[in-house]
Amino acid sequence: LQATRAQLRRGGTIQILMGEVEEEKNPNNGGIMNRRKDVVRPEQMIDMLWFEPALQETAAAEYVVPDAATKALEVLRAHGVQMRPVKNSVRGPAQAIEQFVITANTSTQNFEGHNMRRLEGSWQPAPDATVPAGAWLVPMNQPLARLAFYLLEPTSDDGLANWNLLDDLLQNTKTYPIVRKR
């Protein structure tokens, strides 16, 4: 199992040294800035320096990215993720294809100019699914498998869906456009 979403892990209290500052007028623009003083004082705080999994998923043997997911494919290539094209379409139960059925598709907080997308749902067998010629297979037996997993999983809190790179393929659909093979 690998984490697709993380949350802060709350620990006990720890002592943190806090520095004191004094306000000072910026000589360049007249604005107020804080100048650090050579004074520190200990303060007790809740230890939230670490993350823990909030949601986990098992990686597939391969993910199948449709050729229409051009923005996603560009990002995978830019990161050096290994992919190979599907030359002939493949159909059926022998391939153990799964699709992610979306139960919630929401736009959450605005961050760095993006309304982060959050998908909820579950992977389900898709025995009649066809992997079309022109799609791209992303194998998970490669050096960048963890990165590929984190980018391709629909519930990832920093993946392709979250960063709006699949928005054009997520319009009016109840399934995630990327399927996987077990």
Side-chain angles (χ1 to χ4, degrees):
L1 285 177
Q2 297 291 324
T4 57
R5 290 197 186 136
Q7 62 190 13
L8 287 170
R9 183 177 77 196
R10 294 181 64 96
T13 56
I14 57 174
Q15 189 176 62
I16 301 291
L17 295 177
M18 300 294 290
E20 288 189 19
V21 295
E22 61 186 355
E23 288 186 354
E24 184 177 301
K25 189 174 185 179
N26 186 316
N28 295 321
N29 63 17
I32 300 298
M33 60 182 192
N34 291 324
R35 178 175 297 279
R36 191 178 71 157
K37 294 167 58 174
D38 195 18
V39 177
V40 294
R41 58 182 164 72
E43 189 169 318
Q44 290 294 116
M45 292 186 171
I46 296 173
D47 178 3
M48 294 197 317
L49 297 174
W50 310 104
F51 289 95
E52 64 186 2
L55 186 62
Q56 294 180 306
E57 185 60 59
T58 301
E62 291 181 310
Y63 290 88
V64 182
V65 182
D67 62 343
T70 54
K71 294 176 191 172
L73 289 166
E74 286 174 19
V75 168
L76 293 167
R77 285 186 189 103
H79 283 312
V81 172
Q82 295 172 8
M83 301 182 289
R84 66 182 189 279
V86 176
K87 301 221 187 280
N88 299 308
S89 64
V90 179
R91 180 179 175 80
Q95 297 299 316
I97 298 170
E98 294 179 330
Q99 65 185 0
F100 186 84
V101 178
I102 300 169
T103 57
N105 180 349
T106 57
S107 186
T108 61
Q109 72 192 42
N110 186 298
F111 182 73
E112 295 184 5
H114 297 272
N115 286 324
M116 308 299 273
R117 179 164 309 287
R118 186 177 195 113
L119 298 179
E120 303 287 341
S122 62
W123 287 104
Q124 299 177 11
D128 295 329
T130 299
V131 175
W136 291 86
L137 294 177
V138 180
M140 291 291 100
N141 61 348
Q142 64 170 293
L144 295 176
R146 283 186 184 219
L147 172 62
F149 166 82
Y150 203 58
L151 290 172
L152 295 169
E153 274 294 321
T155 59
S156 172
D157 59 13
D158 209 14
L160 299 170
N162 188 270
W163 281 98
N164 310 113
L165 296 171
L166 296 169
D167 278 3
D168 53 338
L169 300 176
L170 287 169
Q171 300 297 322
N172 304 315
T173 184
K174 288 292 184 188
T175 58
Y176 186 60
I178 296 169
V179 297
R180 69 183 189 181
K181 294 201 252 176
R182 279 292 195 187

